[in-house]
Amino acid sequence: GAGVSQSPSNKVTEKGKDVELRCDPISGHTALYWYRQRLGQGLEFLIYFQGNSAPDKSGLPSDRFSAERTGESVSTLTIQRTQQEDSAVYLCASSIAHSDRAFYEQYFGPGTRLTVT
Amino acid sequence: AQTVTQSQPEMSVQEAETVTLSCTYDTSENNYYLFWYKQPPSRQMILVIRQEAYKQQNATENRFSVNFQKAAKSFSLKISDSQLGDTAMYFCAFIRPNIQGAQKLVFGQGTRLTINP
């Protein structure tokens, strides 16, 4: 079956512009996660959505970052007034999430490489 | 807050050799999961192996095995009979279980592993 897909694969934008990054999770996965990976670094958690629960936004670095998810499908991560420090790979992951088990594997997409010039 | 530390930024071994990647973590939780992820140049995050903290037996997956020392909060990855395809960034990660079944991963900074022919 199809995995997690992200678009665009690469995005170059000018400082101060807004960008939208898209994630299509695996069908049936109720949880969706966004992570940021700066060059040569590990992944940093940004936000996750699970079903109808309020999203966990605790990792968003500033109010320029926001994300939405329509039901249990597509999610969009928006960065307003981009800065050079926003340059990174943005990775999306999805998983089943249910209280009958403590853990479900997260499946990652290929990421969007964002370059702010 | 949980933290994960990988003290080896880069490692290099010859094909067919055995290599061990180090990881330590800090948490006050008693129940959690630990993971090793592989990230080749394609950027795709691939789950290599996972360990549940309540299990004393070390996890193994073919050529990959872990040495989990809960008291020392250490979680190293051993790759036996290394292959050229093992060349990648390797990330150690931690999850604290969530009753809703969705959790955010906490990652280390990564170790760049190169297998030389």
Side-chain angles (χ1 to χ4, degrees), chain A residues 5-95:
Chain A
S5 61
Q6 293 186 244
S7 60
S9 178
N10 292 281
K11 175 73 176 177
V12 180
T13 190
E14 293 180 352
K15 178 182 173 181
K17 300 281 190 181
D18 297 352
V19 295
E20 284 189 354
L21 312 180
R22 177 186 170 107
C23 173
D24 284 87
I26 294 171
S27 178
H29 280 194
T30 54
L32 185 147
Y33 310 79
W34 283 98
Y35 296 88
R36 178 174 70 178
Q37 185 179 23
R38 288 186 163 132
L39 185 63
Q41 301 294 313
L43 281 70
E44 306 168 77
F45 166 77
L46 296 177
I47 185 171
Y48 82 75
F49 301 86
Q50 186 200 348
N52 297 321
S53 302
D56 180 341
K57 305 179 181 180
S58 60
L60 293 178
S62 77
D63 59 8
R64 297 186 296 104
F65 288 72
S66 63
E68 293 183 348
R69 187 181 187 193
T70 306
E72 293 184 353
S73 60
V74 172
S75 176
T76 302
L77 177 69
T78 300
I79 308 174
Q80 296 179 309
R81 304 181 302 281
T82 52
Q83 304 294 313
Q84 288 186 330
E85 70 245 28
D86 299 334
S87 294
V89 174
Y90 290 82
L91 290 148
C92 175
S94 71
S95 75

Side-chain angles (χ1 to χ4, degrees), chain A residues 33 41 50 102 106 108 111, chain B residues 39 43-44 100 103 109:
Chain A
Y33 310 79
Q41 301 294 313
Q50 186 200 348
Q106 293 183 24
F108 284 82
Chain B
Q39 186 181 43
R43 301 199 305 242
Q44 190 73 47
Q100 295 178 312
Q103 314 92 352
Q109 296 300 297

Side-chain angles (χ1 to χ4, degrees), chain B residues 66-85:
Chain B
V66 300
N67 183 3
F68 174 50
Q69 302 290 326
K70 189 173 184 179
K73 297 181 181 175
S74 170
F75 182 62
S76 61
L77 174 69
K78 185 172 82 171
I79 306 174
S80 303
D81 185 26
S82 57
Q83 301 175 359
L84 297 179

Side-chain angles (χ1 to χ4, degrees), chain B residues 2 16 25 43 46 53-55 74 76 78 96 99 109 117:
Chain B
Q2 291 79 23
Y25 59 94
R43 301 199 305 242
I46 302 165
Y54 65 86
K55 290 187 176 179
S74 170
S76 61
K78 185 172 82 171
R96 182 185 67 187
I99 59 172
Q109 296 300 297

Side-chain angles (χ1 to χ4, degrees), chain B:
Chain B
Q2 291 79 23
T3 59
V4 177
T5 302
Q6 294 178 248
S7 59
Q8 304 152 311
E10 293 188 23
M11 294 191 72
S12 178
V13 298
Q14 296 299 119
E15 191 175 8
E17 290 183 345
T18 294
V19 60
T20 299
L21 308 183
S22 301
C23 173
T24 58
Y25 59 94
D26 187 25
T27 183
S28 58
E29 302 287 334
N30 189 50
N31 186 27
Y32 48 87
Y33 293 79
L34 294 162
F35 309 88
W36 279 97
Y37 279 87
K38 171 184 177 181
Q39 186 181 43
S42 66
R43 301 199 305 242
Q44 190 73 47
M45 294 290 285
I46 302 165
L47 179 62
V48 174
I49 197 167
R50 74 167 182 256
Q51 175 79 39
E52 297 161 50
Y54 65 86
K55 290 187 176 179
Q56 293 187 338
Q57 186 173 5
N58 289 324
T60 62
E61 286 288 342
N62 301 313
R63 297 183 296 108
F64 299 87
S65 62
V66 300
N67 183 3
F68 174 50
Q69 302 290 326
K70 189 173 184 179
K73 297 181 181 175
S74 170
F75 182 62
S76 61
L77 174 69
K78 185 172 82 171
I79 306 174
S80 303
D81 185 26
S82 57
Q83 301 175 359
L84 297 179
D86 296 334
T87 294
M89 284 289 289
Y90 286 81
F91 293 97
C92 180
F94 170 103
I95 261 183
R96 182 185 67 187
N98 178 311
I99 59 172
Q100 295 178 312
Q103 314 92 352
K104 54 190 176 187
L105 286 158
V106 177
F107 285 87
Q109 296 300 297
T111 296
R112 182 176 302 280
L113 176 65
T114 302
I115 309 300
N116 298 306

Side-chain angles (χ1 to χ4, degrees), chain A residues 82-117:
Chain A
T82 52
Q83 304 294 313
Q84 288 186 330
E85 70 245 28
D86 299 334
S87 294
V89 174
Y90 290 82
L91 290 148
C92 175
S94 71
S95 75
I96 299 169
H98 197 276
S99 58
D100 67 344
R101 277 174 57 182
F103 168 74
Y104 288 91
E105 181 179 345
Q106 293 183 24
Y107 293 83
F108 284 82
T112 293
R113 182 180 299 280
L114 175 65
T115 304
V116 182
T117 60

